Amino acid sequence: MTSAQTSASQMPPKPPGDDLPRHVAIIMDGNNRWARARGLSGIRGHRAGVEAVRAVIRRAAERGIQTLTLFAFSSENWRRPEAEVRALMELFLIALKREVRKLHDNGIRLSVVGDRSAFSSSIQKYIVRAEELTRDNTGLHLVVAANYGGRWDIVNAARHLAMRVAHGELEPDAIDEHVFQRELCLGDEAPIDLCIRTSGEQRISNFLLWQMAYAELYFTPLLWPDFDGQAFDMAIDDFCRRQRRFGMTDEQIEAKGA
């Protein structure tokens, strides 16, 4: 495996010695390959992937993870076969209708990040309902990235800041990393500590480019439908064994832990 307003967005990366990651992101990959290996249709693979989502959400909540961000549908996924995209949208809508009450009953807060304008009005309506229902929950924060791309996120943030400057609301010299980050999706969340990718691929595929600047990367050959609570535990345990330097030397890290 290879690897001055106070807010969560202004938190430094997770310091060495603090074991559990606060924020875990997952690139859920391998549904189609899982289905093909079994002679099944691609949609059957995506349905099996939903079961893995349930298992990982449950284990993340049990482990006390603060934020879990799942890459459900990228801005590039529209290029997939039309029938597959249509089936994925149907699954997304079904999940919004059937799963949100369970999340709410377990104290989980749901947010959806990405460009919603491409989704049907029905999907957009149910996203709003889900976020409103779970808004005040204080357990795990579950973030679903849908029609999301890291480059889109950064360009969108730059555009918003440019508009504020043009309207005289902000001086260009006032733009620093914290100001910029607050315009991004997840701008109020802690930085990502751990990014997991399934299926053996070793790239981040335009996912949360800014937010993963200091993330530890964990790659597993497991296809997403086979990734369960035990596999999640293995990723967390691997993270806890790593030494995170953030530009410091080994000696400095050892001195901080003394």
Side-chain angles (χ1 to χ4, degrees):
M1 307 276 177
T2 60
S3 47
Q5 181 181 15
T6 302
S7 71
S9 67
Q10 294 171 312
M11 291 180 181
K14 192 172 180 298
D18 188 7
D19 290 333
L20 280 178
R22 292 173 299 191
H23 189 166
V24 177
I26 304 181
I27 301 173
M28 306 179 294
D29 194 10
N31 289 343
N32 278 324
R33 275 170 280 177
W34 183 92
R36 283 199 304 270
R38 290 160 176 78
L40 303 173
S41 66
I43 191 59
R44 289 285 298 276
H46 293 304
R47 288 172 180 164
V50 172
E51 295 300 322
V53 168
R54 293 190 185 106
V56 168
I57 292 171
R58 183 165 53 248
R59 187 56 58 89
E62 291 170 351
R63 293 294 299 263
I65 303 300
Q66 294 179 21
T67 305
L68 176 67
T69 299
L70 303 178
F71 203 7
F73 191 85
S74 76
S75 51
E76 290 81 15
N77 284 154
W78 295 108
R79 302 170 186 168
R80 293 194 171 198
E82 182 179 348
E84 181 178 354
V85 171
R86 185 167 57 249
L88 284 168
M89 293 301 106
E90 290 173 359
L91 273 179
F92 190 19
L93 183 57
I94 289 170
L96 287 168
K97 290 179 177 180
R98 297 181 181 176
E99 302 292 331
V100 172
R101 173 55 63 177
K102 300 173 189 176
L103 297 177
H104 181 56
D105 291 344
N106 285 281
I108 295 171
R109 178 162 64 101
L110 175 66
S111 299
V112 177
V113 298
D115 182 3
R116 302 182 187 183
S117 63
F119 294 134
S120 68
S121 58
S122 182
I123 287 177
Q124 293 184 51
K125 178 181 70 174
Y126 276 97
I127 288 173
V128 172
R129 287 185 181 180
E131 291 179 332
E132 289 179 348
L133 176 65
T134 63
R135 178 177 298 154
D136 297 325
N137 292 343
T138 58
L140 172 72
H141 183 195
L142 173 63
V143 180
V144 175
N147 196 24
Y148 175 88
R151 290 177 176 176
W152 165 85
D153 197 0
I154 292 170
V155 169
N156 205 42
R159 184 182 298 115
H160 288 168
L161 288 172
M163 291 175 62
R164 290 177 61 190
V165 170
H167 293 157
E169 301 171 3
L170 183 69
E171 291 294 325
D173 289 345
I175 300 174
D176 58 15
E177 288 186 15
H178 296 313
V179 171
F180 192 92
Q181 182 166 313
R182 289 185 64 83
E183 296 291 336
L184 293 164
C185 295
L186 305 182
D188 292 326
E189 291 297 314
I192 293 170
D193 293 310
L194 172 64
C195 177
I196 301 167
R197 181 166 188 154
T198 59
S199 86
E201 304 292 349
Q202 298 188 12
R203 55 182 179 270
I204 58 176
S205 297
N206 197 24
F207 183 41
L208 298 169
L209 299 177
W210 177 287
Q211 297 88 336
M212 289 205 294
Y214 283 97
E216 295 291 317
L217 305 179
Y218 179 92
F219 303 113
T220 172
L222 288 174
L223 302 175
W224 176 246
D226 294 325
F227 193 87
D228 56 13
Q230 183 177 4
F232 184 79
D233 284 340
M234 290 177 63
I236 298 300
D237 293 345
D238 180 86
F239 172 89
C240 293
R241 290 191 295 268
R242 298 189 187 188
Q243 185 182 72
R244 307 181 75 198
R245 294 185 176 84
F246 304 111
M248 294 184 290
T249 66
D250 291 346
E251 291 76 14
Q252 287 175 303
I253 292 173
E254 291 170 4
K256 287 175 67 71

